[in-house]
Amino acid sequence: MNKPLYPLSVNLQFFAGEKTEKATPRKREDSRKKGQVAKSADLTGAFALFAMFLMLSFFGPVIGQQLLTLISDLLSPEYLLFNVTGGMSDMVVDLMLRVGLILAPFFIVAVVFGILINYLQIGTLFSLEAIQPKLERIDPIKGVKRIVSMKAVVEFLKSLFKLLIILTTAVAVLWKNQKELSRMAVEQVRESIVALASITIELGLWVSVALLALAFLDFFYQRFDFEKSIRMSKQDIKDEYKNTEGDPLIKSKIKQQQREMAMRRMMQEIPNADVVITNPTHYAVVIRYDDTKDFAPLVVAKGVDRVAFHIRDVAKEHDVAIVENKPLARALYAQIDIGEVVDESFYQAIAEVLAFVYQMKQPS
């Protein structure tokens, strides 16, 4: 006896909970409202660092001159005598103001680039969800899970890699400038400070460029990790559809009730009608014409098969005339909706039917 090729049966419902589907637009919107977006903090910091060192490379001489002037003023006897007589608090305030003016451009550049890079990554976003207190954040079990999670391992490796990049770049820059560093021991203080500042700026630029390259990789990783974290299962998509569009079973019941209500309203119009035009079994179209209210004959009800039989039964109960006219019944059913007046092309045919009905109703 031959054995079946696939002796094991697999229940596909077992995989219904697997998050294999891309997030829907609604899922993305809900995540965004909660502050969950794909963003790399390293990219923001690297750009800000690069901008500050780039600014320092252009305006370094000016800033260096300001620092030298500040140090010279601080060490001058006139400045010390003036501030001692005026009070130590005035000296501290003056020193803070002058240092603040020197550092203010760097602070402004860092803030501007931080806002700009964040905007380019996620656009405009304001959410208080991330800072709301939640008891699950102090749950020790979940805290341990976060510490030993794959994301924590990746962050740890990123930190080690950044440290390795910084150290490698620093060694490379210092090795390149070893002659300048050795000459600093025999040069004057001013020239040594200028050389050290130049090497520091170069080191900062190269480190920031290396961190920028790593930050771009981190940005793509964050996007990949975010897309993975918001994946949905097939059941999640079905549940979302039910919540958005409504349960299909409930919707079908509502539509059924609406059809029944429309049927009742339609049947209520039949006793006031003038004639029912049939084909004679499958189609039935109910016509009403009141010259005091209607400017043209009006279709107040129509139906096929079972509904057509029901229309004829109601018409018979209320002595509404039933006239057989196959082509007219089919044409009216196909072209005129309930509640609409008939088209001019039907005037002649309906007038003949109504004349026949009125003649039948006249006493002999």
Side-chain angles (χ1 to χ4, degrees), residues 299-327:
V299 174
V300 296
K302 68 177 183 178
V304 295
D305 297 332
R306 185 177 60 83
V307 178
F309 280 108
H310 191 34
I311 288 174
R312 285 197 295 273
D313 291 340
V314 175
K316 290 177 183 179
E317 291 177 5
H318 295 86
D319 295 325
V320 178
I322 300 176
V323 177
E324 179 182 336
N325 190 323
K326 295 180 180 180

Side-chain angles (χ1 to χ4, degrees), residues 8-26:
L8 297 178
S9 61
V10 179
N11 185 3
L12 296 179
Q13 292 297 323
F14 177 78
F15 300 98
E18 292 290 330
K19 297 186 181 296
T20 57
E21 307 300 314
K22 289 185 177 181
T24 60
R26 183 180 177 185

Side-chain angles (χ1 to χ4, degrees), residues 111-136:
V111 171
V112 170
F113 267 84
I115 295 174
L116 178 62
I117 300 304
N118 269 312
Y119 177 79
L120 292 176
Q121 289 189 83
I122 62 174
T124 304
L125 176 63
F126 180 76
S127 175
L128 298 177
E129 183 77 17
I131 61 175
Q132 289 182 357
K134 294 182 180 179
L135 293 178
E136 61 182 17

Side-chain angles (χ1 to χ4, degrees), residues 50-60 63 104-106 109 205:
F50 177 74
M52 287 191 293
F53 274 104
L54 190 63
M55 177 183 172
L56 189 60
S57 66
F58 283 103
F59 300 101
I63 297 173
F106 295 96
V109 167
L205 285 173

Side-chain angles (χ1 to χ4, degrees), residues 280-305:
T281 55
H282 296 293
Y283 290 84
V285 180
V286 185
I287 301 296
R288 186 193 74 195
Y289 179 61
D290 185 350
D291 56 2
T292 61
K293 295 187 298 183
D294 305 324
F295 70 90
L298 184 72
V299 174
V300 296
K302 68 177 183 178
V304 295
D305 297 332

